[in-house]
Each structure stands twice: as structure tokens, then as C-alpha cells.
Amino acid sequence: MLLPFLNLLLWLPAALAAFGVTTSGSNMLVDSGAGLVTTIHTTNGDITSIRFNGKELQDQSKFTHLSSGLGKISKISSVTSSVANNIAVVTIRTNTITHYVITRSGINTIYLGTFASQEPSVGELRFIARLSKSALPRGIAEAEIEGGSAIEGSDVFRVNGQTRSKFYSSVRFIEDQVHGVTGSGVGAFMIIPGVGYETSSGGPFFRDINNQGGAQQELYFYMNSGHEQTESYRTGFFGPYALAITSGSAPSGNLDTSFMDNLNLQGYVPASGRGTVSGSYSGTLSGPPVTIGFKNSNAQYWISGSGGGFTRNMMKPGTYTVTLYQGEVAAGTGSVSVSAGRTSSVNLSSNLSRPNTIWSIGTVDGTPAGFLNADKIEHMHPSDSRMGNWGPTTFTIGSSSTSSFPMAQFKAVNNPTTIRWTASSSQTGARTLRIRTTESFAGGRPQVTVNSFTSSAPPAPTKIDSRGVTRGTWRGLNEVYDFSIPSGVLVQGSNTIQINVISGSSGDSFLSPNFVFDSVELF
């Protein structure tokens, strides 16, 4: 009977401790009063301990912090605390960043907010919780790299015959409100609620690292990175976001952060200083989901459309470019000005070209959905044995299934892609072959040969300094390539079209110049 009694004694101090902040030497301890005790080092701002009901969740060789540690990327000017109205605020300041670690009495959640007046010198703004692998062994399977061998760079690995990477833990921002890791009777979850992404960059379909399981269990919120970045970084207040500690179950993404309105956080805009946009849209295809995106140099927002209407609230004042997305492709644009406490309106319509096609492969939605390996590419490397054979592929109009058409074409792997088509007399003459792509790497873009005719080479697409598709994303910059086929090239009967990857660059295997298909249309 002695052992259970001793265990009870170990549990009681954590469970019954009083809410508040105490400082001992270089350690600032923040107690939720409900079982969570967070220790912050006052010299560098690192979180060095996260104890939940007496169980240590923090790895003790690497700690939890912003970027690679604020104390490493800049000089810490101060680490201070204040307690009022059952809210404890720890403020960590450098000359360019003010980071807030906030605890509410009786709630086992670490609320976070970050103000940055410029991007850190390391080029990434991220919150990384480096947690104990033994306490929280279960992360996202595709990001478990322990025991693996590197096959690309220092971030893609092969583990027991399967490819793994921290990049394969990513989820599109529009869907990513909660992600986490768990152990026996405990879970740690990042929550990005409400306006948490407003100062990040990339839009609703951008995705970034959420987890990596190695010697530590790493849990991330990436605010800015160079991982297939398609627009400039923003500065200002990032968040609110939170690290919630639970008994193992995932928390709701609808985290109440309204109490932060009264904390006077640098750069934070309360609900009373925000406005709403309501509007309508028309002209999109009935199949792909509709999203309305808003952006300017200070903020970004999005909302899903339904039944031709939408309402987006909690927007900072300013004038925004509004984009109507059909799937992930921009179908129409507009502009709207937002004022605090008011509702503005905007009406959008699709102006996406919708020709009367002779045939088409895929859906014009800004994604390779339905194509070969599109259902796998977000969570594994193209070389993974679970992938379907990349080809080269010959696709026959009228008999081949869409799922046999490759979602990506690599110069050194599956070049060319061949399309065979039997034309009637009314389908010949001057025509246009349109190829839509969603991203490219190393200048890869299509050039076509139709029977004996070879098109001119299109100019290189805008360069994005990232590996893209081997890192589990197809989201880059949408491009449209129209190839004019002169009269007399197409013939009644059998026709052959070859799509080739061209580029002035080279590379091996899946790091050779490449692009991702959205759709192919002949009209």
C-alpha cells in the first residue's frame, strides 16, 4: 500500500498548487493551478520544462522556443512577468521581437503571441516545441524519421522501406487548426485558431511543417519559411496560437482567445478594431470547393464559400485584394475596404477561361487531383515504393483512365508524356492545346510536339527557391501554357502529342527539372 500512497503525494503538489509566477535564479515558473507548470529561462527565453501532473514533457537536451532560440538569433533585452485577473503574461523581448507566453488560471494551455518587426536573420519564424519522445512517442507517422537514412538533403529519409520527412506532416492552412502528439494519458497540441494565420504568408492552400519525430518529438507552428514561398513575408503580430496540454484527446480548434483583447500586447488588434466582409460569387464549376481569399501587405484571410455567398469576420482595417478560388486556382478577383465595426460587401464572378473543349484531361482546379500518385504525393517522396509507376506514360483519349495520367513530369524520370487521339474530320484544323500547371522546379515547363510539329519553347516560369513536389506539396504558382497548333498539323484518324519537360537546368532523378499538372485541354 506504500507505493500508491507515495504516487499520490507526487501528484498532489502539481494538482493543488496555486496559480501564479515564481522566480528562482534564472528560472521563471508559471503554474496554471490545474497541473501544468511551465519553466522559462530568464537569460535566453527558452521554455526548459513543461510538467503536467508531475510528468516532464519537455526534452532536456533541446528546448522549446522561437526559431532556433531567441537567445541565439538576437540579444534578449528582458524577460518579465505580470499577473492580473487570473492571467499570467511572460514577455520576452529582443530589439525586433516581442514574444508572449500566457497562462490562465485553471487552464492547461500555453497561449502564445509573437510580434516581429522584421524577419529573423535565420530566415524562418517558427515556434518549435522540442518535447520528450519517451513521454510523447506518437506523432504524425509520415514525419517519424528515427532510425532512417537520408535520401534527399538532410530532411527526407527512408525508414523501414518507406520515405519519411517533416514536410510530409504538413496540412493546408485552411484545414490546419489543430495538430499534435500524444503519449500515455497525455497529449500536446498546437492550436491556430481564428486569425492565427493573418500575418503569415502563402494564402489558404499554403502548407508547412507540423511535426518531426526523431530523438525529440518536435511540434511546430511555422509562421514564415522559405518552403515553396510564393509571396513576401509579413511583419507584425503573429497569432494568437497555443500549445494545449491534454489527457490525450485533441482539443477544439475554436479556442477562446478573446481575453487577450485586454492585455495590451504589442501589435495585437482586438475584436473591437476589426471589421467584416460579406459578399456573393458566381460562375465557378459545381465540383471543386470554393474559397475566397483576402490579402494585402499586412494581413491575409480566407473563408469557404457556400451556395454563392460568404461572410468573413475579424479582419483588420485596410484595403484587400479579393480572390475567388475554384479549387486552388484563381478564378476571379475584386477589391474591398474594411473598416472597424462595419460590414463591407464585395461581389465576385469567375472570369476563368472555359473553352468548348474537344477533350480534356483533369479538372481545372489548381490541383493534380485524380492523376497518378496525386493521392500520395503529400505524404511520401516520389521514389517511395508505394507510388505507382511514373512512366513515361502513353495516355489514349477515350480509353485511358484519368488516374493513369502522371500528376508530375520529371525530366530525368518520366519524360515525355504521350497522348494518342483519334480525330474526326470536324476536329482537325487550327487548334489550341492548353496545359495548366500548379508548380515547377529548376525552370521546368512543357513544350509539345504534335505529330511532326514542334511548338516554340515557352519562357521559364517564375523561380521559387524550393524543391516543391519532393517535399510533399504541389502548391506553387499556377501557370497556363497555350500552344497554337497550325491548320494541317492534326489529321483525321490517329494523332500523337508528346509533352516534354524543358529547362536550361539539369538534375538527377526526381530533382531534375519538373512541373505538376493541373489539366490538359484541346480546343
Side-chain angles (χ1 to χ4, degrees), residues 38 185 198 220 227 390 443-444 450 518:
T38 305
E198 71 180 359
Y220 297 84
H227 305 149
W390 285 100
V450 183
D518 171 4

Side-chain angles (χ1 to χ4, degrees), residues 93-428:
R93 296 185 188 276
T94 74
N95 62 337
T96 59
I97 291 176
T98 303
H99 182 57
Y100 299 98
V101 181
I102 303 168
T103 304
R104 301 176 71 187
S105 177
I107 300 176
N108 293 324
T109 295
I110 302 170
Y111 299 83
L112 299 153
T114 305
F115 175 83
S117 61
Q118 66 182 50
E119 190 72 12
S121 58
V122 293
E124 292 187 340
L125 186 63
R126 65 181 183 180
F127 179 80
I128 174 171
R130 289 190 171 98
L131 304 173
S132 166
K133 191 69 175 293
S134 60
L136 296 155
R138 294 186 293 274
I140 299 170
E142 293 87 352
E144 177 56 66
I145 66 168
E146 196 165 21
S149 54
I151 64 168
E152 183 179 301
S154 58
D155 50 29
V156 181
F157 300 83
R158 183 166 280 113
V159 181
N160 297 325
Q162 296 183 356
T163 52
R164 308 282 180 83
S165 175
K166 58 189 177 183
F167 291 101
Y168 304 152
S169 70
S170 65
V171 178
R172 302 189 312 169
F173 280 177
I174 193 172
E175 299 156 335
D176 191 15
Q177 280 66 60
V178 179
H179 56 265
V181 296
T182 61
S184 177
V186 65
F189 295 87
M190 291 301 308
I191 308 176
I192 307 96
V195 297
Y197 290 109
E198 71 180 359
T199 315
S200 297
S201 301
F205 315 121
F206 190 73
R207 51 199 304 144
D208 221 323
I209 301 165
N210 283 343
N211 171 232
Q212 177 173 260
Q216 296 83 37
Q217 187 69 277
E218 298 174 352
L219 187 61
Y220 297 84
F221 171 43
Y222 259 90
M223 290 162 263
N224 278 334
S225 78
H227 305 149
E228 198 75 0
Q229 195 65 45
T230 57
E231 62 180 5
S232 299
Y233 295 145
R234 295 179 174 89
T235 55
F237 185 89
F238 293 81
Y241 56 107
L243 176 60
I245 309 301
T246 76
S247 59
S249 58
S252 169
N254 296 318
L255 184 69
D256 180 15
T257 60
S258 59
F259 70 95
M260 297 172 75
D261 286 9
N262 301 313
L263 298 182
N264 296 315
L265 308 179
Q266 185 176 2
Y268 179 91
V269 179
S272 60
R274 296 171 177 270
T276 297
V277 174
S278 184
S280 66
Y281 65 89
S282 61
T284 55
L285 293 177
S286 59
V290 170
T291 303
I292 295 87
F294 306 83
K295 70 175 183 179
N296 60 24
S297 61
N298 297 315
Q300 61 171 5
Y301 305 96
W302 45 79
I303 190 71
S304 296
S306 178
F310 61 90
T311 298
R312 169 70 216 206
N313 61 8
M314 291 292 288
M315 294 175 62
K316 291 193 292 189
T319 299
Y320 293 86
T321 297
V322 189
T323 303
L324 172 65
Y325 290 101
Q326 174 178 287
E328 294 185 10
V329 69
T333 60
S335 179
V336 69
S337 293
V338 176
S339 300
R342 301 184 63 182
T343 298
S344 304
S345 63
V346 62
N347 299 314
L348 303 168
S349 61
S350 172
N351 57 15
L352 200 64
S353 173
R354 295 173 62 179
N356 184 19
T357 60
I358 296 173
W359 51 257
S360 61
I361 308 170
T363 302
V364 179
D365 63 359
T367 82
F371 288 156
L372 176 70
N373 293 325
D375 59 334
K376 302 179 180 71
I377 200 65
E378 295 171 292
H379 304 295
M380 63 186 77
H381 192 268
S383 66
D384 197 290
S385 61
R386 293 169 290 175
M387 289 281 182
N389 189 319
W390 285 100
T393 297
T394 297
F395 185 94
T396 302
I397 299 296
S399 61
S400 294
S401 64
T402 301
S403 61
S404 69
F405 194 87
M407 59 85 60
Q409 192 168 322
F410 305 85
K411 189 176 182 180
V413 176
N414 60 340
N415 204 37
T417 296
T418 302
I419 300 172
R420 298 195 186 279
W421 164 56
T422 301
S424 66
S425 59
S426 63
Q427 295 172 329
T428 60

Side-chain angles (χ1 to χ4, degrees), residues 17-40:
F19 167 77
V21 179
T22 58
T23 301
S24 175
S26 298
N27 294 317
M28 184 179 287
L29 282 73
V30 185
D31 198 318
S32 72
L36 177 65
V37 181
T38 305
T39 302
I40 300 170

Side-chain angles (χ1 to χ4, degrees), residues 12 51 76 188 345 354 383 445 478 481:
L12 281 173
R51 295 187 71 84
I76 302 290
S345 63
R354 295 173 62 179
S383 66
R445 69 271 195 193
N478 292 315
Y481 298 94

Side-chain angles (χ1 to χ4, degrees), residues 17-70:
F19 167 77
V21 179
T22 58
T23 301
S24 175
S26 298
N27 294 317
M28 184 179 287
L29 282 73
V30 185
D31 198 318
S32 72
L36 177 65
V37 181
T38 305
T39 302
I40 300 170
H41 200 283
T42 57
T43 301
N44 56 29
D46 285 358
I47 294 176
T48 58
S49 175
I50 303 172
R51 295 187 71 84
F52 180 60
N53 293 337
K55 185 175 187 176
E56 182 62 71
L57 305 183
Q58 173 63 54
D59 181 77
Q60 292 302 297
S61 62
K62 294 184 177 181
F63 299 120
T64 292
H65 44 223
L66 277 178
S67 297
S68 301
L70 279 178

